[in-house]
Amino acid sequence: MLLEALASAALGLALAAAAMHRLSHRLPIRSLVLATGVAGALFGAFVTHSALDPGSFLAILAGAAIVSTASLSLLLRPSGRLRRRSAPA
């Protein structure tokens, strides 16, 4: 289980770093993004480990990646291209 937690944390950190590299203009500060990626991956690994048997290492990493990606997507801000005009009063 320790190996699963370490691998999930590393996976979350890698996903967060990739998101920061690719979408840095739409994300908040770096420390928040990295912490969210790791926390999401650890939570996803915990949920997947609880739902499945402990022997399915790749499925646990897949669950960690899915939850980490979903939690990172919640941090994205709008791109700024779609600006609405306020309605006149």
Side-chain angles (χ1 to χ4, degrees), residues 35-67:
T36 302
V38 172
L42 287 173
F43 182 69
F46 171 71
V47 169
T48 309
H49 181 85
S50 298
L52 302 175
D53 58 339
S56 54
F57 183 70
L58 293 178
I60 291 172
L61 286 182
I66 289 169
V67 175

Side-chain angles (χ1 to χ4, degrees), residues 67-86:
V67 175
S68 179
T69 304
S71 61
L72 286 170
S73 72
L74 294 175
L75 295 177
L76 287 174
R77 290 180 276 194
S79 63
R81 285 185 277 174
L82 302 173
R83 295 188 187 235
R84 295 185 207 176
R85 287 186 263 189
S86 61

